[in-house]
């Protein structure tokens, strides 16, 4: 099941004023699994349409916590030439905050993901965790600030590594690690204009991962 951009008519990064998104007639993996009795959750960045009829809860996800589009689409992005509104933080269909600081976002997403696993450990589940970091603007929680030797990008990557470890530990602690398929993906590839974010090597720009406990 592949969402080719030409077929679904998404040819660019959707802007906050966009009215389009993933066609409701498309079948997502969340919708497929939901029909099989899976609990489904997405915690992180959606960016597949943010008008009410295009949000995650309309595409097969029982739960959503995160931002509706890219984390650089906010007022502090002065170099883009766009006049962005405040970046909303959603809990399902409700805006619960507007972000003026993203430093705790990775931790919040991790906590929500762990809570989801614990609540649904006795049933099959599908968990999608698309972290906004390390897309710019790079921001990190205090507990990882200045930890590695390669600057802010290194701090951000260390926190994402911690997030993955926390989720994998939760699976093990709840005896789910032998019955859960964990899939890692990444998108975009290196962003050449921010090459100094990773010391001597160009990094992958963003990582997503999926968890699906088998029935």
């Amino acid at each position: 099941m592949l969402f080719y951009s030409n077929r679904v008519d998404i040819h660019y990064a959707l802007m906050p004023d966009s009215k389009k998104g993933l066609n409701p007639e498309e079948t997502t993996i969340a919708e497929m699994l939901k029909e099989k009795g899976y609990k489904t959750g997405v915690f992180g960045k959606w960016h597949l349409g943010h008008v009410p009829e295009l949000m995650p809860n309309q595409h097969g996800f029982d739960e959503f916590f995160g931002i509706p589009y890219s984390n650089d689409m906010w007022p502090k992005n002065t170099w883009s030439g766009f006049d962005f509104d405040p970046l909303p933080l959603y809990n399902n269909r409700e805006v619960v905050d507007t972000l003026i600081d993203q430093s705790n976002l990775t931790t919040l997403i991790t906590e929500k993901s762990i809570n989801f696993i614990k609540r649904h450990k006795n049933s099959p589940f599908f968990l999608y965790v698309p972290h906004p970091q390390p897309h710019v603007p790079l921001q990190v929680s205090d507990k990882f600030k200045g930890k590695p030797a390669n600057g802010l990008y290194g701090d951000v990557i260390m926190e994402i590594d911690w997030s993955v470890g926390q989720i994998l530990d939760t699976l093990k602690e709840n005896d789910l690690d032998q019955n859960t398929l964990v899939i890692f993906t990444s998108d975009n590839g290196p962003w050449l204009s921010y090459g100094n974010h990773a010391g001597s090597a160009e990094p992958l720009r963003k990582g997503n991962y999926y968890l699906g406990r088998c029935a």
Side-chain angles (χ1 to χ4, degrees), residues 90-161:
Y90 277 81
N91 184 39
N92 293 313
R93 298 173 176 86
E94 180 183 359
V95 176
V96 294
D97 201 357
T98 52
L99 296 176
I100 58 173
D101 181 352
Q102 298 181 31
S103 59
N104 289 317
L105 193 53
T106 298
T107 293
L108 281 172
I109 290 167
T110 304
E111 291 173 349
K112 292 285 185 179
S113 300
I114 289 173
N115 180 266
F116 178 87
I117 293 171
K118 290 180 176 179
R119 284 187 287 111
H120 300 300
K121 64 182 181 180
N122 294 319
S123 65
F125 62 78
F126 173 69
L127 170 62
Y128 171 38
V129 187
H131 275 297
Q133 297 289 327
H135 190 288
V136 293
L138 295 177
Q139 296 197 353
V140 69
S141 66
D142 288 342
K143 59 183 175 292
F144 291 99
K145 192 173 294 183
K147 293 295 184 181
N150 57 343
L152 179 57
Y153 188 91
D155 298 349
V156 168
I157 295 303
M158 178 176 282
E159 184 163 30
I160 294 173
D161 286 346

